[in-house]
Amino acid sequence: MVPMVDLKKQFQEIKGEVFHVLTEILESSKYILGTKVSEFEKKVANYHGVREAIGVASGTDALHLSIDALGIGEGDEVITTPFTFFATVEAILYTGALPVFVDIEPDTLNIDASQIEANVTKKTKAILPVHLFGCPSDMKKILNIAKKNGLKVIEDCAQSFGAEVNGKKVGSIGDAGCFSFYPSKNLGGYGDGGMIILNSIRVADTIRELRNHGSRGSYIHKRVGLNSRLDEIQAGILLVKLMRIDEYNRKRRQNAALYNNLLLDKVTCPIEKKDICHVYHQYTIISRKRDSIQQKLKKNGISSVIYYPVPLHLQKALKFLGYQKGDFPVAEKAAKEVLSLPMYPELEESVIEEIAEIIRSTV
Ligand SMILES: *Cc1c(COP(=O)(O)O)cnc(C)c1O
């Protein structure tokens, strides 16, 4: 079976370095908030050209703690997309704030910035764009609206480590950028992990306290926080992979270009607007024949996944928000037509050709 992502292959290539760093950490007996976490934080901050980076336990926590530390909570509204992973909205709800959905663009599948302003109310405190599948949202428009209305911008970069808008890395554009190091993400550890990047030293200090029981150590607690630390072992592994992230993303882009060449006349392929660098966390096609394509791929031993089959406004868990079918027609149509194909740096050209051939013979 051709998998969606082949972590085994990647591990074989970096095994020596991973074992080396693991041995170092295990022998140091410093497992929580030691030198690997701070080294990784510094390197990620430098990579993005920002002042601060804070390692946390997951991408979900990165979003939760950012929203919280920016002073958003009970009674506030956060504008976001209904076409994303559930965690984006969970994080908003954890803080007591309410998500307000805005439909997506049919081509990028990201939040349609031209519809944001009509949804700004007195309660709106932030815009939370998701750079879905590795494709940056329209940050120029989003920043303009935020500035005009005095809103914070929190970027969900869980799927887009290394992606760029106008040469600027996503996550460094808004007030905070939130990353996930879940194993299958573009930059993934061997367990859970996350990070927040930002320029405000004051907000960064708050997040550093929140991730560690509201304390900077020594059992003095300034606020009630939680236990959400990135651990040394994950940071060590991520340091090995961070050195290769540009190369990994370059190969993803190369694979996407080949898919595009072979599929463009048959299905709708992902697009890159002007000044955008997409990092293809997923390579997602759009087709009315999505279900038959998926069946045919399966028959031929090729994995494919529907990200996402139900937009968030129609999820049972979020029924209390009061949205209905028909509220976000573009997201609802996307849920019926998207299909993500195998995508990873080590994916071979011959396999992409085989996948494309199967799709071409189906549509
Ligand atoms: C993976 C993901 C998250 C959550 O990250 P975890 O590390 O799994 O908590 C949030 N938002 C998006 C868009 C994601 O893809």
Side-chain angles (χ1 to χ4, degrees), residues 53-348:
I54 306 128
V56 293
S58 69
T60 310
D61 282 0
L63 290 162
H64 173 191
L65 296 184
S66 304
I67 299 166
D68 199 359
L70 285 166
I72 298 161
E74 207 72 46
D76 298 332
E77 291 176 357
V78 177
I79 292 176
T80 193
T81 164
F83 199 62
T84 175
F85 180 53
F86 194 64
T88 309
V89 163
E90 267 178 324
I92 296 170
L93 289 165
Y94 279 148
T95 68
L98 281 181
V100 170
F101 294 124
V102 165
D103 209 354
I104 58 171
E105 301 174 331
D107 49 5
T108 64
L109 307 175
N110 281 325
I111 191 166
D112 182 350
S114 71
Q115 295 187 44
I116 290 178
E117 208 154 16
N119 288 278
V120 173
T121 71
K122 275 190 212 126
K123 294 181 178 172
T124 310
K125 290 285 153 56
I127 306 170
L128 202 167
V130 179
H131 307 305
L132 197 71
F133 304 147
C135 178
S137 297
D138 189 340
M139 293 308 291
K140 196 174 163 193
K141 265 194 209 138
I142 291 170
L143 283 189
N144 276 336
I145 297 162
K147 208 169 167 189
K148 208 172 127 194
N149 295 279
L151 309 176
K152 301 288 185 196
V153 175
I154 299 150
E155 298 176 71
D156 183 338
C157 308
Q159 303 187 359
S160 57
F161 197 104
E164 292 175 7
V165 181
N166 243 325
K168 214 167 175 205
K169 294 257 184 301
V170 297
S172 70
I173 303 168
D175 295 279
C178 303
F179 294 89
S180 163
F181 305 124
Y182 183 81
S184 64
K185 305 286 162 124
N186 282 34
L187 179 62
Y190 294 152
D192 279 307
M195 187 157 280
I196 300 139
I197 63 168
L198 70 171
N199 279 308
S200 164
I201 292 167
R202 185 182 56 79
V203 177
D205 281 347
T206 305
I207 295 172
R208 282 214 168 78
E209 286 167 10
L210 286 173
R211 78 167 168 187
N212 195 29
H213 306 288
S215 167
R216 298 301 289 265
S218 315
Y219 303 96
I220 307 298
H221 301 268
K222 267 173 71 178
R223 58 182 96 237
V224 176
L226 43 96
N227 174 351
S228 180
R229 298 167 300 228
L230 180 65
D231 69 74
E232 285 288 292
I233 286 180
Q234 295 311 324
I237 292 159
L238 288 161
L239 275 166
V240 173
K241 290 213 196 180
L242 180 64
M243 292 197 317
R244 294 171 168 80
I245 188 64
D246 288 343
E247 179 63 10
Y248 288 156
N249 282 338
R250 194 185 61 74
K251 286 185 177 159
R252 283 175 183 274
R253 288 174 54 74
Q254 208 173 307
N255 292 340
L258 181 56
Y259 267 131
N260 285 346
N261 272 337
L262 300 170
L263 290 173
L264 214 50
D265 59 329
K266 294 285 188 182
V267 298
T268 304
C269 294
I271 62 150
E272 280 187 44
K273 292 192 174 165
K274 201 171 151 278
D275 301 323
I276 289 293
C277 178
H278 190 319
V279 291
Y280 299 95
H281 170 61
Q282 298 296 343
Y283 183 87
T284 304
I285 57 169
I286 305 173
S287 170
R288 255 170 285 171
K289 296 195 182 149
R290 187 265 311 271
D291 293 333
S292 37
I293 294 173
Q294 186 169 40
Q295 267 173 18
K296 189 85 172 277
L297 287 171
K298 192 175 171 199
K299 235 187 245 160
N300 285 274
I302 314 260
S303 310
S304 65
V305 177
I306 298 164
Y307 298 118
Y308 296 92
V310 179
L312 297 188
H313 68 288
L314 301 179
Q315 293 281 356
K316 198 173 158 200
L318 300 177
K319 211 170 168 191
F320 69 94
L321 294 173
Y323 289 107
Q324 278 165 19
K325 207 167 169 180
D327 283 347
F328 305 108
V330 184
E332 288 168 32
K333 184 162 181 279
K336 291 195 180 85
E337 298 185 351
V338 289
L339 188 66
S340 297
L341 305 178
M343 171 54 86
Y344 45 93
E346 303 78 13
L347 183 59
E348 285 164 30

